[in-house]
Amino acid sequence: MEDMKDIQWFPGHMAKTRRQIAKSLPLVDAVAELLDARIPRASHNPELQQLTRRKPRLVILNKADMADPDLTARWMQYYKKEGCAVITCDSKGGKGVKGFAPALRELLKSQLAKYAEKGMTGRPIRVMILGIPNVGKSSLINRLCGKNRAKAEDRAGVTRTQQWLRTADGVELLDTPGILAPKLDDQEAAVRLALTGAIRDDILDTEALAARLLTLLHNEYPAALAERWKIAADAEGDGFPLLEQAAKNRGMLLPGGVPNTERAAIMLLDEFRGTKLGRITLEKP
Ligand code: G4P
């Protein structure tokens, strides 16, 4: 799936993905949508709801290791109220992955009971994994099925019948996850997608991005900024002025004492993405 990351999304692509998903849907009992726990709203493709509305949905708040635990708990409540099953996951480290199968069994309880009545007890649960690029689909599949299985047969141009990957606890995954387009038409969502690295940040100016992040952190996570960038919680201003201050505070100066805002911006984004500023969530339910 590496090569999918550089694809520019345009309507034709989404149409093709939509067709593929629609074709596979009748084969599965449920869909499992991966969201980035730091940006559950921006990492959700609204078309998906429309497309899969008749299927039970498991929401996986992935990269939970990087997200604010309190807000993750609130997001979990939110999705439960929406009628979804929901788990949190760190597909890189593996934490939470074992909750996948039990959550599906719970979600499909009545359906599984019907199968059992008909004597179809050995029938596996079949699921399609969906999510935007970089949200962690291959990491999760590798965790659930083992590295080699998930990578097998992933060659472009090779026609093959639908294949299933079996997890250790008897769930079957469609071997090709549905790759959804990120929501680029919503400018606010695009900023958050770029901040988390879900989309390449060259579509947006680095300093502008960092300024947006600073405003957000200053409002929601002032302690993190105070600690690492010496920006007081009651500091005046936001955005670019804060970035200038951040550069000054770290001694990042150009000749003539001009704050090197570009260097500070790159550093700040790196620190955020590397969780050096702590576990931060950019959206509230
Ligand atoms: P995709 O198939 O949906 O496109 O996503 P993929 O699994 O390739 O994951 C994209 C990046 O996100 C990878 O990092 C992966 O390690 C990381 N990742 C996935 N799930 C999690 C998670 O739950 N927590 C954390 N912290 N990271 C996660 P990468 O930079 O591309 O590679 P690498 O740094 O792992 O080598």
Side-chain angles (χ1 to χ4, degrees):
M1 271 141 272
E2 286 301 316
D3 50 338
M4 293 305 292
K5 284 174 192 167
D6 291 324
I7 285 175
Q8 292 298 315
W9 289 92
F10 54 86
H13 255 116
M14 199 53 208
K16 188 168 168 236
T17 310
R18 217 184 288 124
R19 272 200 305 279
Q20 275 168 353
I21 293 173
K23 213 171 93 188
S24 305
L25 265 184
L27 307 174
V28 299
D29 301 301
V31 294
E33 182 189 14
L34 266 94
L35 299 176
D36 186 323
R38 297 167 298 172
I39 49 164
R41 197 173 292 124
S43 59
H44 167 72
N45 181 310
E47 270 198 74
L48 176 77
Q49 214 117 352
Q50 189 61 16
L51 206 58
T52 65
R53 66 187 178 285
R54 282 193 200 88
K55 288 288 169 184
R57 184 156 72 117
L58 168 65
V59 168
I60 301 170
L61 292 171
N62 196 41
K63 307 201 182 186
D65 55 307
M66 303 171 98
D68 181 333
D70 294 337
L71 281 175
T72 300
R74 283 177 56 189
W75 276 111
M76 283 188 87
Q77 288 308 318
Y78 171 86
Y79 289 110
K80 274 183 197 154
K81 274 198 196 124
E82 296 258 290
C84 305
V86 48
I87 60 167
T88 62
C89 214
D90 164 8
S91 294
K92 191 172 179 176
K95 197 163 174 246
V97 174
K98 63 181 187 309
F100 179 78
L104 282 170
R105 290 216 167 79
E106 179 63 28
L107 177 69
L108 298 169
K109 205 157 67 183
S110 58
Q111 200 172 322
L112 292 174
K114 269 184 226 152
Y115 288 144
E117 271 170 36
K118 292 180 196 160
M120 298 161 68
T121 42
R123 191 186 175 286
I125 297 175
R126 290 192 150 173
V127 181
M128 172 163 42
I129 306 257
L130 292 156
I132 62 168
N134 262 324
V135 73
K137 295 178 297 301
S138 14
S139 303
L140 177 67
I141 294 171
N142 289 344
R143 280 274 166 199
L144 288 168
C145 305
K147 232 178 173 66
N148 302 328
R149 296 288 305 275
K151 294 278 173 185
E153 292 294 312
D154 197 33
R155 266 170 285 139
V158 179
T159 36
R160 62 201 147 98
T161 53
Q162 200 66 64
Q163 295 204 18
W164 299 88
L165 301 168
R166 191 178 259 270
T167 71
D169 29 23
V171 176
E172 290 192 356
L173 309 177
L174 213 54
D175 69 337
T176 34
I179 302 166
L180 304 170
K183 260 193 298 207
L184 297 179
D185 47 347
D186 173 350
Q187 187 63 22
E188 291 300 314
V191 165
R192 293 192 289 270
L193 287 162
L195 284 173
T196 55
I199 55 175
R200 289 201 311 251
D201 57 12
D202 56 7
I203 63 155
L204 292 152
D205 176 67
T206 308
E207 286 168 77
L209 259 188
R212 299 288 287 272
L213 179 61
L214 273 174
T215 302
L216 198 144
L217 294 176
H218 193 46
N219 291 331
E220 304 291 339
Y221 296 92
L225 273 191
E227 194 190 318
R228 288 198 67 98
W229 290 85
K230 307 285 174 262
I231 291 174
D234 59 357
E236 294 286 323
D238 61 4
F240 200 74
L242 273 186
L243 186 60
E244 288 183 313
Q245 201 185 318
K248 275 190 218 156
N249 294 353
R250 282 265 179 108
M252 295 173 169
L253 300 174
L254 294 166
V258 180
N260 190 341
T261 46
E262 193 184 348
R263 220 182 119 206
I266 293 167
M267 187 77 82
L268 179 79
L269 291 175
D270 272 0
E271 289 190 0
F272 168 69
R273 289 170 184 157
T275 58
K276 292 207 176 70
L277 298 168
R279 294 168 65 175
I280 287 167
T281 295
L282 302 178
E283 295 175 339
K284 286 178 186 164

